Amino acid sequence: MSVPPPGPPSLTPDEQARFTPPPGGAPRSVLVTACTACGACCAAPDIHALGKPLGVPCLHLGADTGAGHLCAVYPDRPGVCRSYQPDWVCGEVAPLPTLAARVARFLAIYGLEGDG
């Protein structure tokens, strides 16, 4: 059985584009290319389909029990949630220690700190 070499995962060109920060952005972790269940995407943006305002955790987002924040309605989540794909922002926010810190950084990235 062969062991893959250490280093960043292989990404398709489309995936690589999602994980490339915008011009002028600091390099992000190439190791965060999948959902880490950090909860930021379920707490920071507004989700109109769920009536969820900006910066407020979704009522369906569970507490972190050691496996990350999991969605209680995952099989029935709305299309906007289904279509979300991790991107370079995940590499920026996922390593932060708390959901509040991840939400604050997510909002700062998009210039939404004062809008919530």
Side-chain angles (χ1 to χ4, degrees), residues 51-103:
K52 190 199 90 54
L54 183 73
V56 176
C58 177
L59 64 96
H60 302 294
L61 183 63
D64 186 352
T65 59
H69 296 271
L70 302 177
C71 177
V73 297
Y74 189 81
D76 299 316
R77 68 197 186 282
V80 67
C81 299
R82 287 180 185 281
S83 65
Y84 182 79
Q85 296 182 20
D87 59 18
W88 71 271
V89 174
C90 300
E92 174 83 9
V93 303
L96 297 174
T98 65
L99 179 60
R102 292 187 290 271
V103 168

